Amino acid sequence: MAGMTEERFIAKRVLKLVYIGVVTLLGGTLFGIVHRMALGDTLVILFADVLFAVLFAFYLESGRLHRNARPDSSEDYHRLCIYYTAGMVVMILASFCPAYTAPVFCIAFLLAAGLDREQAFAIALFFDIHLTLNAGWSTSVMTCYLLLMLTGIMLTGMYEQKEHRVYAQMTAFALNTAIPVLFYYLEQGVPTLRLLFTVLPGSIVTVAAMHFLYDGLHTRLEHYGEISLDTIVDPSFHLVREIKRYSQGDYNHAIRVSRIAAHCAAKIKVNAKLAAVSGFYYRLGKFGGEPFVESGVTIAQDNCFPNDVITILSEFGGQKNPISTIESAIVHITDTLVTKFELLDHTTLSSSWNRDMVIYQTLNEESSSGIYDHSGLTMNQFLKIREFLAKEEELL
């Protein structure tokens, strides 16, 4: 099953990497055409474009494989393609702006808001060099834009903290206004009020874009590509069908854990749907092979599971990461108990006293081990779950 999933992911990933290469070459060609560059100059630019596209693809893949960094799913690559294409289009349009007035600060800030910061830096750096070379601007203009780009990306770190956003906006306005004027003075040796009045509207637009667009872009960065909880437990979803084909017993186990975990979560008024979905896929790593926890997380990422589900899968049994949420604790409790009941014979479980003893002993042992200490599960909630499970007929 993991092999089939990985093959699907590889095909989508490669197509998107090819797409980025094509957009890069088309962008370089359009730059050459609209600015009427000589054929030789255009070919040199295209050579640099090919080199960047190859190195950028290598950077993305090596980061995904060795650092578990974004992009970690085909949908992350899709999002990257959208931002890259939009950035290329904006940069072509910005090349018609007068020197020192292109909105590179705003573009760099928004790239960093919606992408991984390292990706934003690499793309913005490439666009900046491309922009100044094709527009025929001086090295002073390029240096000015590089500084604006760097400050735009770095300010996203300050902007993540809501209490500092006003200061970030004030800083952005000041830098976006002062840096072009200062670099123009360094190049020309004379101040100019005309440039100041030209960049002021751009600074205002930049601050407005920061204010109105950041939250939407950053939220999409956190959740882009996630498919709904309902979708991934739908009987027609390909992973559900693959688990059922792989083992009817494992499928039945997943169904039981899912239902009971949902009931437990509802009992103490936490996210029942999250508990149900995570319970169904809690043993997903088993189908991907060893190491089981990492395999489960990888399959979930490749299929664009919501981050909350992936977190619970990464905390399977508390083996790699401590159980950090109440829903994760509920799924672990349920899976542990269902597994124990599956191993016991029906004669032992025919007595309600025996069933209660198994439930109380199993859950008390897990609790006393400290495995739920970081989950936020209170003793009162634990006792409610334990009492509910003692009456849960679906355990039988």
Side-chain angles (χ1 to χ4, degrees), residues 40-52:
D41 294 341
T42 302
L43 291 176
V44 171
I45 295 296
L46 290 178
F47 174 78
D49 289 346
V50 171
L51 183 62
F52 171 78

Side-chain angles (χ1 to χ4, degrees), residues 60-312:
L60 293 175
E61 285 297 279
S62 62
R64 185 184 69 84
L65 293 172
H66 302 298
R67 295 186 289 110
N68 196 31
R70 287 180 179 275
D72 55 21
S73 75
S74 61
E75 292 300 327
D76 276 324
Y77 278 86
H78 181 68
R79 174 178 48 81
L80 182 60
C81 288
I82 293 174
Y83 276 77
Y84 190 83
T85 304
M88 182 65 76
V89 171
V90 172
M91 278 301 176
I92 292 174
L93 296 175
S95 67
F96 292 98
C97 294
Y100 295 107
T101 63
V104 293
F105 181 99
C106 184
I107 294 168
F109 179 88
L110 296 178
L111 282 173
L115 296 174
D116 176 273
R117 207 162 293 166
E118 290 183 6
Q119 294 171 15
F121 176 80
I123 294 171
L125 177 62
F126 173 67
F127 283 168
D128 177 52
I129 295 172
H130 217 305
L131 177 64
T132 50
L133 287 177
N134 284 278
W137 289 327
S138 65
T139 55
S140 180
V141 177
M142 179 183 290
T143 306
C144 171
Y145 285 166
L146 284 173
L147 186 56
L148 286 171
M149 176 202 73
L150 287 172
T151 54
I153 291 175
M154 288 188 293
L155 272 179
T156 56
M158 180 188 294
Y159 215 75
E160 288 174 358
Q161 305 174 48
K162 291 188 176 181
E163 64 272 19
H164 295 156
R165 288 189 178 181
V166 172
Y167 304 110
Q169 290 170 355
M170 293 170 60
T171 303
F173 181 84
L175 292 176
N176 208 54
T177 303
I179 290 176
V181 173
L182 291 174
F183 271 86
Y184 178 87
Y185 177 78
L186 287 173
E187 183 181 32
Q188 301 295 331
V190 291
T192 171
L193 287 176
R194 181 179 179 182
L195 179 61
L196 176 62
F197 289 125
T198 303
V199 298
L200 275 174
S203 300
I204 295 172
V205 171
T206 294
V207 172
M210 293 169 66
H211 181 77
F212 291 108
L213 298 180
Y214 176 84
D215 283 331
L217 294 176
H218 196 64
T219 299
R220 291 189 179 189
L221 170 63
E222 297 299 323
H223 301 288
Y224 191 91
E226 292 182 359
I227 53 181
S228 71
L229 294 173
D230 290 328
T231 298
I232 57 180
V233 290
D234 189 280
S236 63
F237 187 62
H238 71 92
L239 280 182
V240 176
R241 289 187 281 107
E242 288 172 17
I243 291 172
K244 192 171 184 178
R245 283 199 301 267
Y246 179 86
S247 169
Q248 185 66 46
D250 286 305
Y251 175 77
N252 292 338
H253 173 91
I255 290 292
R256 293 177 72 194
V257 173
S258 176
R259 289 174 178 170
I260 297 171
H263 294 161
C264 291
K267 188 69 177 178
I268 60 172
K269 296 180 174 57
V270 295
N271 194 331
K273 185 173 289 187
L274 175 60
V277 174
S278 303
F280 183 84
Y281 286 108
Y282 201 51
R283 291 188 172 189
L284 185 60
K286 177 179 179 180
F287 310 106
E290 295 184 358
F292 296 126
V293 177
E294 289 87 342
S295 293
V297 169
T298 298
I299 295 173
Q301 287 174 336
D302 289 352
N303 286 275
C304 311
F305 278 24
N307 288 331
D308 290 341
V309 176
I310 294 175
T311 298
I312 292 177

